Amino acid sequence: AQKITQTQPGMFVQEKEAVTLDCTYDTSDPSYGLFWYKQPSSGEMIFLIYQGSYDQQNATEGRYSLNFQKARKSANLVISASQLGDSAMYFCAMRALNSGNTPLVFGKGTRLSVIA
Amino acid sequence: EAGVVQSPRYKIIEKKQPVAFWCNPISGHNTLYWYRQNLGQGPELLIRYENEEAVDDSQLPKDRFSAERLKGVDSTLKIQPAELGDSAVYLCASSSTREGEQYFGPGTRLTVT
């Protein structure tokens, strides 16, 4: 079984500053993927970034980067140069990769508020 | 390319009434998921389809929930009868590759009064 823990219910960040959203995970699967999704008030889940457990380098996608520390079982999301449009719920998720298209297991999310 | 389409976007019903949600996945995606998201929580899987076959429905409350995916494309999720605790957002997602991301639809927000 997999478990995702997001310990920050809410975060505030000043516009143009960087912010780190924490995520720790637990799994017994040897091969797994870690994901971050953004959910604005409209409700849609928007894929941001992916990290495979076998990837040697941290994933980056534009202003998003994933700080993957396998020994600590953490997969923190870093957003650089925050924008007002980044205000939303952010979910960390994971799934096993060794048995087909397994479903995602999500954390409870972190609400990010960007202040002008 | 069109994304995952869901309808309706919003639904308000009285308890004990039936309700149905429809999902059209991204073209070519063979795996389809239904998730339920309660207020203040992350989504949780209800059922997963590989083509027409339901391969993971252990979290689906089968006494009142049913789902189908005819011809391995569109899917319908039904609740009959609805209870107050069914109020939630129902999300449909699809994927095509073993290591690829899942693409989500906009969801259906159900309110049971």
Side-chain angles (χ1 to χ4, degrees):
Chain A
Q2 298 116 28
K3 183 178 181 180
I4 295 286
T5 302
Q6 294 180 255
T7 57
Q8 305 156 313
M11 290 281 287
F12 290 89
V13 64
Q14 202 76 31
E15 191 178 12
K16 300 181 184 178
E17 297 293 313
V19 63
T20 298
L21 306 184
D22 294 341
C23 172
T24 58
Y25 63 91
D26 192 20
T27 182
S28 57
D29 295 295
S31 178
Y32 51 90
L34 295 155
F35 302 77
W36 278 92
Y37 283 84
K38 172 184 178 181
Q39 188 176 44
S41 56
S42 59
E44 187 171 358
M45 297 289 282
I46 302 169
F47 167 75
L48 295 178
I49 195 167
Y50 165 81
Q51 177 88 41
S53 60
Y54 45 80
D55 292 338
Q56 295 298 313
Q57 292 192 333
N58 287 343
T60 60
E61 288 286 347
R63 295 187 298 111
Y64 304 108
S65 60
L66 199 152
N67 185 0
F68 180 46
Q69 298 187 45
K70 195 170 184 177
R72 295 186 175 184
K73 294 189 174 181
S74 73
N76 298 339
L77 177 70
V78 180
I79 305 174
S80 63
S82 296
Q83 302 172 357
L84 295 178
D86 294 334
S87 294
M89 283 292 292
Y90 288 81
F91 290 94
C92 181
M94 73 178 301
R95 68 180 187 91
L97 297 180
N98 53 357
S99 52
N101 284 342
T102 53
L104 290 165
V105 174
F106 287 85
K108 292 187 175 183
T110 296
R111 181 172 297 281
L112 178 66
S113 299
V114 181
I115 304 167
Chain B
E1 180 181 285
V4 177
V5 180
Q6 288 188 248
S7 68
R9 290 295 313 276
Y10 305 91
K11 190 73 176 179
I12 301 174
I13 61 172
E14 294 183 348
K15 62 181 180 182
K16 300 184 181 179
Q17 294 300 306
V19 64
F21 315 125
W22 175 80
C23 173
N24 180 247
I26 292 173
S27 178
H29 281 192
N30 57 308
T31 307
L32 184 146
Y33 315 76
W34 283 103
Y35 291 87
R36 178 168 60 185
Q37 185 176 19
N38 293 316
L39 188 65
Q41 303 291 319
E44 294 180 327
L45 180 75
L46 288 174
I47 189 168
R48 170 169 64 107
Y49 282 93
E50 295 288 348
N51 300 305
E52 302 93 349
E53 183 181 0
V55 297
D56 186 353
D57 64 355
S58 58
Q59 300 303 311
L60 189 72
K62 298 183 183 62
D63 57 335
R64 299 183 299 106
F65 285 65
S66 64
E68 61 182 9
R69 190 184 184 195
L70 299 176
K71 301 182 180 178
V73 181
D74 296 1
S75 178
T76 302
L77 177 69
K78 298 179 181 178
I79 308 175
Q80 181 171 13
E83 298 179 351
L84 295 177
D86 296 331
S87 295
V89 176
Y90 291 82
L91 293 161
C92 179
S94 69
S95 65
S96 65
T97 61
R98 190 175 71 90
E99 296 184 9
E101 64 268 24
Q102 295 177 17
Y103 294 88
F104 283 80
T108 297
R109 184 177 298 275
L110 174 67
T111 302
V112 182
T113 63

